[in-house]
Amino acid sequence: MPTPDIGNAESAAMEPAARHAGLQEQFEDAGQQRSAAELGMWIFLATELLFFGGLFTLYIIYREIHFEEFKQGSHLLEAGFGLAMTALLVTSSFTMAMAVRSAQIGKRKPLVAFLLVTMLFGGAFLGLKFTEYHVKWTEQLVPGLRFSPGGERLQGARWQGVEMFMCFYFFMTGLHALHMIVGIGLLGVLAILSCKGRYTEGHFTPIENAGLYWHFVDIVWLFLFPLLYLVRGA
Amino acid sequence: MSTAAIAPELPRESRMHYLNANFGIKSWLFTTDHKRIALLYLGSITLMFFIGGFGALLMRIHLLAPEGWLMSPETYNKMFTMHGVVMVWFFLIPSIPTTLGNFLVPMMIGARDLAFPKLNLLSWYLFIAGAVVALAALIAGGVDTGWTFYTPLSTLYLTTHVLSTATGIFIAGFSSILTGLNFIVTIHKMRAPGMTWYRLPLFIWSLYATSIIFVLATPVLAITLLLIGVERILHVGIFDPALGGDPILFQHLFWFYSHPAVYIMILPGMGVVSELVTCFSRKRSFGYTLIAYASLAIAMLGFLVWGHHMFVSGQSAYDALIFSLLSFAIAVPSAVKVFNWTATLYKGSISYQAPMLYALGFIGLFTMGGLTGLFLASLAVDVHVHDTYFVIAHFHYIMVGGAVMAYLGGIHFWWPKITGRMYPDVWARLAALIVFAGFNLTFFPQFVLGYLGMPRRYAMYPPEFHWLNVLSTAGASILAVGYVAPLVYLIWSIRYGPPAGANPWKASGLEWEESPSPPPTENFETIPIVSKEAYHYAEGIRAHP
């Protein structure tokens, strides 16, 4: 009987059993892994904040320089669109929070369901967004590509300032939409993994982190909405 | 006799370590071992260093004659742009953090790896992708904006490969962000039992400060480069005054990243010097906490001084005044470090091994670079020397005399740990002296040239500046010898160097005391329990008897 082999096989089987299945080898215990992943996510969000921060700074400065034109540009957007999208996103944040809660208490079915619902709201947001882009395209309000506004709404405005406003509108909401697409993809992967039972009461950090990301993207929109759609005077 | 020579080799070679744990190209390209990734980085950035350095040498040769004789002015413009882009983004910024940092952060704090090993590998791939894109742009015809990409030159007037170069930098930026993120989390969460914040080596403090800049400044560069792309592709006027934009805003955003980036380059070097000075004078670091806090202060203040690049760009006089004041303020933590290193040397048992020569060179050259920085922070003096060779000399004293000296010193110090082999000490000392002499001969004349009024970025100059330029070019050729020499003897030592042993310098620190050279894949047999301060040197015992 090959006794030494059995001994090896036993100790090899023992060792991973001593560590949690999802525990990576560089970590000593699950608590360390979890707090590292959380801190990593918060730092990532800080970089995102600076990423958008540069844009917000430029927007605010140009708004000061081209005050009238930016006001005029803002009137070219339908606040109704913005309001509907805001409602969708805020609701999606609620369902996301519910998904995280379901993961924490280890309820698999509600977790998958809430993830899917969140994706659905996110998808609806993107649908509205691209409808709005399409409307701007037909109104010939896409800077650089198709910008020849002829209507009387633009009378008296230096069209450059308005074009710049539209430029910021497309760039900022476009970048935000890109983050939404990434977020929906991420939730899709997590939904599949949750279905397979990857996440348990003791191991749900990826869901929490996805939640942090989703709320962050949501909060960016909560600043974009008033800046672009609402702050425009009479 | 031959058997006697081989016999002691056998047990050493049979020990498993990270270099012989597995073999083949895949074991390197898919590795998540921080030590192997450090070596991947080391190879890549060494290549970039010599590409960028070759460009610099060609420029110096061109400037041997007042009318410039080697290349056309257009090529010269592309050459200094290439030199700047390659050296800043593909050598200096990643240099110490990605090589020594990657190798040493887990080892110094007593961890088995960084917190996110896969992210670490990803950051190397991003770096390579960025480097390939940027180099392809340079080979395809190059770009002539200068490394600063000022608008509207970069967006309106040039038809060169601005977009692809910027794309390369954009991609490499994410590599920086991921490295910084990984370091911050690792230093917070992965320290061994007993490794309190105030027992951390000062190298770790400096990398922590550097990482803060990585994650907070780089995204702003990313968004700025994106906007350049949008403006070039769609011909909209974000920075174009003719279309209602403001080109100065580009400079604000650019320097909001690029000034802190200067501290990305120098802070890790300061950390290396703290390690070298303590080891080779066998003393605790004088003012440990002050040096640690000075790193953080530099990282914070570094975000508040970007306006000093724009004293003559038309910002308001009040802005300029405040930025000038803040630029003076950031000299304080830098000086705190220099004084503390000097005080550490005082009454130390100093030995002049090659790494120490680099460290002493660093202290002198960094002081020169720092003090001339004060000239430039003074509004009136800056107007006189702005955009002259004075500025070139100033920042090369920091970047080359400071950062590159520290990088080489660090590589020489930890080479025995990384490879398990010693290099020939005589050659290394000689190379350090050659670098020091060549560097000063190259750049000191440029202070004089700049003060006399020779502008930077010109392919030719008036004849009265001739002899100083000849001196500078002579220095550059000496410097080149000093840089090629380590490449030769360090590579030689991998195969032929004598075994180093775990701690050839008798240095303090977990990487020396608790792990053999080269370290095993998991760094430590068991995670060490730390009970001592950093730099617990018994005074009076030299690094080498």
Side-chain angles (χ1 to χ4, degrees):
Chain A
M1 252 183 75
T3 16
D5 281 356
I6 287 173
N8 278 346
E10 265 177 4
S11 67
M14 285 285 287
E15 218 165 283
R19 296 165 69 88
H20 186 276
L23 182 61
Q24 290 161 327
E25 59 191 12
Q26 71 271 23
F27 295 110
E28 293 299 300
D29 55 63
Q32 188 186 32
Q33 172 166 322
R34 186 181 158 187
S35 67
E38 271 174 15
L39 180 63
M41 194 62 202
W42 280 106
I43 293 167
F44 172 73
L45 294 183
T47 72
E48 287 278 13
L49 200 66
L50 269 291
F51 193 65
F52 280 99
L55 270 182
F56 278 107
T57 309
L58 277 185
Y59 177 87
I60 289 162
I61 289 168
Y62 280 131
R63 193 171 190 279
E64 191 71 23
I65 296 175
H66 305 287
F67 184 65
E68 286 303 321
E69 293 89 326
F70 268 47
K71 253 169 75 176
Q72 210 130 9
S74 180
H75 278 287
L76 296 173
L77 305 178
E78 330 274 337
F81 261 124
L83 190 66
M85 285 187 277
T86 310
L88 282 172
L89 264 197
V90 171
T91 318
S92 81
S93 253
F94 171 71
T95 56
M96 185 70 228
M98 291 304 287
V100 173
R101 182 67 193 148
S102 311
Q104 282 170 343
I105 56 177
K107 305 253 187 218
R108 192 199 303 180
K109 272 184 191 162
L111 166 61
V112 177
F114 277 121
L115 285 177
L116 291 177
V117 172
T118 309
M119 287 169 69
L120 205 68
F121 279 115
F125 172 90
L126 284 178
L128 265 186
K129 190 82 245 167
F130 291 121
T131 314
E132 194 189 21
Y133 284 169
H134 181 72
V135 171
K136 295 301 155 230
W137 178 262
T138 52
E139 289 174 353
Q140 311 201 342
L141 286 172
V142 182
L145 298 174
R146 202 162 187 261
F147 194 79
S148 45
E152 59 275 317
R153 281 189 296 180
L154 268 172
Q155 270 180 359
R158 281 175 59 215
W159 63 272
Q160 288 172 350
V162 178
E163 183 172 14
M164 191 182 287
F165 174 84
M166 291 310 290
C167 199
F168 274 104
Y169 159 76
F170 274 104
F171 195 66
M172 293 167 98
T173 57
L175 204 60
H176 176 262
L178 196 68
H179 279 79
M180 291 289 297
I181 293 170
V182 171
I184 291 174
L186 197 68
L187 293 190
V189 174
L190 290 182
I192 294 170
L193 292 177
S194 310
C195 239
K196 290 181 179 166
R198 173 78 78 85
Y199 303 112
T200 57
E201 276 164 86
H203 176 62
F204 49 84
T205 321
I207 307 275
E208 272 190 335
N209 277 350
L212 284 176
Y213 175 84
W214 191 266
H215 296 314
F216 173 82
V217 177
D218 191 3
I219 289 169
V220 170
W221 177 260
L222 290 182
F223 281 89
L224 286 177
F225 173 53
L227 266 188
L228 295 170
Y229 292 82
L230 297 182
V231 190
R232 58 186 181 191
Chain B
M1 195 174 160
S2 59
T3 45
I6 289 165
E9 294 267 314
L10 281 173
R12 186 175 56 83
E13 287 300 333
S14 63
R15 187 177 67 79
M16 288 288 277
H17 51 74
Y18 79 105
L19 291 170
N20 67 7
N22 41 32
F23 296 95
I25 188 82
K26 275 188 188 168
S27 76
W28 285 87
L29 291 182
F30 297 107
T31 182
T32 52
D33 183 348
H34 65 104
K35 300 182 285 302
R36 287 195 163 202
I37 294 171
L39 289 188
L40 291 176
Y41 265 116
L42 182 65
S44 336
I45 69 164
T46 303
L47 179 68
M48 296 311 270
F49 175 75
F50 280 100
I51 292 174
F54 186 65
L57 196 62
L58 288 183
M59 284 193 290
R60 282 316 320 167
I61 293 171
H62 176 79
L63 292 176
L64 267 177
E67 65 280 10
W69 63 280
L70 190 63
M71 49 189 125
S72 68
E74 289 76 22
T75 314
Y76 184 85
N77 289 348
K78 289 178 178 173
M79 197 59 80
F80 71 66
T81 304
M82 183 278 270
H83 170 68
V85 167
V86 168
M87 282 303 202
V88 168
W89 278 295
F90 297 101
F91 176 71
L92 282 168
I93 286 181
S95 61
I96 294 177
T98 61
T99 54
L100 296 173
N102 252 333
F103 196 96
L104 293 167
V105 165
M107 298 219 65
M108 282 182 161
I109 66 173
R112 301 214 182 272
D113 205 321
L114 290 172
F116 309 115
K118 284 179 195 155
L119 219 53
N120 196 19
L121 183 65
L122 175 66
S123 82
W124 180 70
Y125 277 104
L126 286 173
F127 174 79
I128 291 297
V132 166
V133 171
L135 283 182
L138 297 171
I139 292 166
V143 59
D144 49 355
T145 56
W147 76 279
T148 51
F149 293 96
Y150 270 18
T151 57
L153 181 67
S154 60
T155 47
L156 272 187
Y157 296 107
L158 295 178
T159 51
T160 46
H161 298 268
V162 177
L163 208 55
S164 38
T165 312
T167 308
I169 296 168
F170 180 81
I171 298 171
F174 285 98
S175 155
S176 298
I177 291 176
L178 293 182
T179 302
L181 189 153
N182 221 337
F183 283 178
I184 293 178
V185 174
T186 305
I187 295 169
H188 268 281
K189 301 291 180 188
M190 310 286 282
R191 283 172 285 127
M195 181 55 93
T196 60
W197 280 90
Y198 294 99
R199 284 177 184 167
L200 286 172
L202 288 163
F203 182 66
I204 299 292
W205 278 95
S206 76
L207 277 182
Y208 185 78
T210 308
S211 302
I212 292 176
I213 308 177
F214 268 140
V215 298
L216 293 185
T218 321
V220 179
L221 175 77
I223 199 74
T224 312
L225 292 176
L226 265 186
L227 286 168
I228 292 251
V230 168
E231 183 160 353
R232 265 185 90 89
I233 294 170
L234 298 178
H235 304 287
V236 291
I238 298 168
F239 299 119
D240 177 7
L243 295 174
D246 187 350
I248 301 294
L249 272 179
F250 170 83
Q251 296 185 23
H252 276 290
L253 286 183
F254 179 81
W255 288 113
F256 181 84
Y257 162 78
S258 290
H259 197 81
V262 170
Y263 299 105
I264 292 178
M265 304 177 208
I266 199 66
L267 272 170
M270 293 169 156
V272 168
V273 169
S274 293
E275 301 298 313
L276 301 188
V277 164
T278 47
C279 174
F280 292 101
S281 46
R282 315 311 296 171
K283 273 180 72 181
R284 278 162 205 264
S285 181
F286 187 90
Y288 171 95
T289 21
L290 270 178
I291 296 188
Y293 287 153
S295 289
L296 296 180
I298 288 172
M300 298 302 152
L301 283 171
F303 278 100
L304 305 174
V305 299
W306 79 88
H308 69 214
H309 294 270
M310 300 157 62
F311 283 162
V312 298
S313 300
Q315 69 183 354
S316 87
Y318 301 106
D319 280 358
L321 203 66
I322 289 165
F323 278 123
S324 170
L325 195 71
L326 286 166
S327 305
F328 277 104
I330 202 167
V332 174
S334 310
V336 163
K337 284 180 177 260
V338 172
F339 287 131
N340 278 308
W341 294 321
T342 319
T344 307
L345 290 173
Y346 179 68
K347 287 193 172 171
S349 311
I350 297 172
S351 53
Y352 296 97
Q353 255 70 43
M356 184 60 161
L357 293 183
Y358 282 109
L360 294 175
F362 174 100
I363 296 174
L365 299 179
F366 174 75
T367 305
M368 284 274 293
L371 288 178
T372 49
L374 293 180
F375 292 33
L376 293 168
S378 321
L379 288 169
V381 182
D382 184 68
V383 172
H384 174 58
V385 292
H386 187 85
D387 256 346
T388 69
Y389 267 76
F390 192 89
V391 178
I392 303 275
H394 154 69
F395 74 75
H396 280 85
Y397 264 78
I398 303 284
M399 306 284 87
V400 187
V404 178
M405 286 292 251
Y407 170 74
L408 286 175
I411 292 287
H412 280 84
F413 185 56
W414 282 289
W415 188 258
K417 180 55 60 183
I418 294 171
T419 64
R421 302 290 183 131
M422 286 305 289
Y423 47 83
D425 192 54
V426 179
W427 281 100
R429 291 192 213 193
L430 191 65
L433 293 176
I434 291 173
V435 166
F436 186 78
F439 174 82
N440 279 300
L441 190 58
T442 311
F443 290 102
F444 196 82
Q446 296 187 3
F447 277 128
V448 184
L449 280 170
Y451 200 78
L452 295 175
M454 179 169 163
R456 65 193 285 199
R457 292 182 173 141
Y458 279 60
M460 45 192 74
Y461 53 85
E464 67 257 34
F465 297 140
H466 191 192
W467 69 277
L468 283 166
N469 272 290
V470 171
L471 276 187
S472 180
T473 304
S477 51
I478 296 173
L479 195 55
V481 173
Y483 286 147
V484 172
L487 189 69
V488 176
Y489 64 72
L490 287 180
I491 290 174
W492 177 88
S493 77
I494 295 175
R495 183 142 181 84
Y496 302 105
N503 192 357
W505 314 114
K506 300 186 182 67
S508 76
L510 297 182
E511 82 275 27
W512 296 112
E513 292 169 316
E514 301 288 341
S515 186
S517 315
T521 303
E522 67 277 13
N523 292 349
F524 306 100
E525 208 167 294
T526 50
I527 291 294
I529 294 168
V530 182
S531 58
K532 290 179 194 158
E533 310 267 307
Y535 316 117
H536 47 87
Y537 289 109
E539 294 192 12
I541 301 166
R542 282 166 195 270
H544 251 266

